Structures are given as structure tokens and as C-alpha cells.
Amino acid sequence: MTLVTTEMTDQAVAKAPAAKAVALPVAAGERELRLDLFRGMALWLIFIDHLPPNILTWFTIRNYGFSDATEIFIFISGYTAAFVYSRAMLDRGFVVASARIFKRVWQIYVAHVFLFTIYLAEISYIATRFENPLYAEEMGILDFLKQPDVTIVQALLLKFRPVNMDVLPLYIVLMIFLPGIIWLMQRKADLALSLSVLLYALTWQFDWYLPAYPNGFWAFNPFAWQLLFVFGAWCALGGAKRMARILSSRITLWLCIGYLVFAFCVTLTWHVPQLNIFMPRWLESWMYPINKTDLDVLRFVHFLALAAITVRVLPKDWPGLRSPWLRPVIRCGQHSLEIFCLGVFLAFAGHFVLAEVSGGAWMHFFVSVAGIVIMSAAAWLFSWYKSEIGKGDKRAKSADADADLAGGGS
């Protein structure tokens, strides 16, 4: 969610002693459009997956493997956050960089609270207006309607969340620990990643989790999902460059392809039960359940295989990244926080339309495409507004400079 160019400093980062230990992969001022592209795609896929099953649902990656768009989103968030704020830490020091990170955490928290308020109002209004309490039950807000005072407090503590509102709380928690992650990675990157793997293993061993309200636990366990976030940070701070030889290996390529084919064959049995007879019982007992809450190893490896192949076939200087056809999805990736919040709102609106308006496959297709178009239009508006603000700042600085010259000459 953190934008590379928004938080990037213009000054050089070679003066700090720790700078020698960090190899930042992208030149200052340069934007990695592949990150924006895949983050925007993840936002579109998350929106589609939150809708009732429809034609476009079959184009999301969760139907063809173990992982889904959430893994893409969290990995890129860790990558971009570490890349951006590590520059600030090298240039301005730990305290200033931490202050900037916590400012971003506060912005995400405020966005979450605002989205929570609007989301509750949307669901409550529709459930009352159409006299259908099932909406409140399906979206998980019955506890709010019964005890709004208690539920509001629990929501502010990130313990109560309606359906589809689990990603931002996870990201808030991960970002809180980012200063320490970056500090350690700038000195001992492999040690930081090893500690992350250890925490992940201990989480599985001792069943660590964060409690949710009114019962249960977080849908995305931060103790487990931190591994993907930290791995993204490790890749951003030189890990990806050190893995270049492994990623370019033909053996790695075929191992990734083989694993993706295996995952596809397994997920095919979920959609076509008749094929389940070909699944060995010992494999099922070892593999199931594939736990999303605790980021199952099979999901993590599936994402790694997808990422390894993607990096191999899509170089960062690919001309298609400048194509106008990809500009809408890239813009969505560049304004990920706003577009994610809008996508959650639109997902319930689409759910309501499909539930109340009779329509078949074409109505499902129309609702899905309409949501993507609205998200793309909003991203274009945000980009336009940002560019106009930038122009206004430049004109203001130019006017100030002219005034200073005029004053100096008089």
C-alpha cells in the first residue's frame, strides 16, 4: 500500500555507515511499475473474489492453485514499505524514519475506521430498507446491531471486523513492527529473515493467534503472515539480487512449473468432485486442510513459484508496462489504500444488486466489470488530483522565487 514515490526522499543515501550493507534494487526517483501492476491486479482480484461466484471469478488465481491475491498484496506491501522507509532510515536515521512509518500506520488506521463506519452504514441501511436481516448476518454485523457500544470499542481495537475487512488490520500490525525489521535488515538481513521463519514455525507449533470479537481469532494471523511481509522486505533490501542466479536457473524454472501443475491438479478436484478418486488418501491426509489463516506452507510455496516465473518472464523494462491498456490497473496499484477501501464498499453493493435484481451470468459479469471500471475511474481521479496539486506547488514555489527576486532587486 505504501507508495514508492510518495515517501521517497530525493537526497542520496550513501553517507550512512549501514548503507554498505543494503543494496537497494531501484535507482532513486525510479518507480517499479511491475509492483504497481501486480498490486493493482491483486486489488481487482480481491474485489472479484468478494462477489458471489460469477464468470470473472474463474479468472482469479485462487481457482487454479493454493494461493490467491492476498499473498500478492502482502508481499508487495512488505517490499515497497521496506524499500521506501529504508531509504529514509539511511538518510535521516532510525527515529525520523520510525516517525514516518507510524504516521503511515495512523493513516491506514484512520482509513480502516472510516471504511468500517461507511460499511456498517451501508449494510444496516440496506438490511433495514429491504427488510432483509440476512444481509447483516452474512456480513457479520449482527453483534454490532445487538451491542453497538461494546462492538464499536472492539472495532477500534481491531478485534471486531465485518466480512471482507481483515486485510487492513493485518497490514496495520505488520507496519507497526517495520522500524525494527528494517533496522535489523540493514545490518543482518539473513538473520532478520531467519527470525521471521522461526516465529512462523513457533506459531504453527504452539498455535499462537490474536483473539477476535465476539469469539474466534483473526482471519489472517499476523504471527504467520509476517513471514510473507518480511520476505518481501528482504527481497527489496538486496535479497532478490542475491537470488538472481537461483531464479535464472533452468532447474528452478522446472521445479516451479511442476509445483504449479501439481497445485492446479489438486484444485481441479475441488471443482470436479469426480476427479477426487485420483487423489491418494495419504496425500489428502497430509495436505488438508490448507490453512489460509496461518498461511499454510503450500500456499507460501505456491506464491513463490508464481513470483519466480513472473520475474523471469516479465523484466522490469518490459515496454508493455508503459502501454495505455495497462494504465488503469497500474493506477489502481499506485493508489492501493483508497482503491482497496472502495473495492470493499463496491463488493457489498454488487452483492446486494445480485441478490435483489434477477439476472443470470450476464448480470454477474456486468456487476463485476462495472466495479472494476469504477475503481479504475477513481484511480484516474486520484492521479489527476495528485498531479494538479504538484503543479500548484511548483507554481507557488515559482511565484515565491519571483517575489524574492523582485524584492532583492529593489
Side-chain angles (χ1 to χ4, degrees), residues 149-286:
D149 52 343
V150 177
T151 307
I152 285 292
V153 174
Q154 296 297 326
L156 294 176
L157 296 174
L158 304 180
K159 296 177 69 175
F160 174 76
R161 299 177 303 279
V163 174
N164 299 338
M165 285 195 59
D166 299 297
V167 175
L168 287 186
L170 169 65
Y171 190 61
I172 290 170
V173 172
L174 296 178
M175 285 289 290
I176 288 175
F177 294 95
L178 184 62
I181 293 171
I182 294 178
W183 182 88
L184 182 57
M185 280 207 170
Q186 288 180 342
R187 289 153 180 81
K188 298 288 184 180
D190 292 341
L191 175 60
L193 183 60
S194 299
L195 291 175
S196 175
V197 173
L198 177 62
L199 177 58
Y200 175 82
L202 292 175
T203 299
W204 277 83
Q205 177 66 31
F206 297 105
D207 196 25
W208 291 344
Y209 62 88
L210 292 181
Y213 178 84
N215 49 56
F217 41 80
W218 282 36
F220 298 109
N221 187 350
F223 295 121
W225 280 83
Q226 55 79 27
L227 175 62
L228 193 59
F229 185 83
V230 174
F231 179 70
W234 180 82
C235 289
L237 302 184
K241 182 177 293 186
R242 284 188 284 149
M243 289 195 303
R245 178 175 295 182
I246 297 176
L247 293 175
S248 61
S249 168
R250 189 176 296 273
I251 296 176
T252 301
L253 174 63
W254 285 110
L255 286 175
C256 291
I257 293 175
Y259 186 78
L260 293 179
V261 170
F262 163 73
F264 172 75
C265 293
V266 172
T267 53
L268 198 61
T269 64
W270 304 346
H271 308 299
V272 185
Q274 294 82 355
L275 297 178
N276 201 47
I277 60 174
F278 298 104
M279 282 284 292
R281 299 285 82 84
W282 65 266
L283 182 61
E284 287 186 338
S285 61
W286 170 79

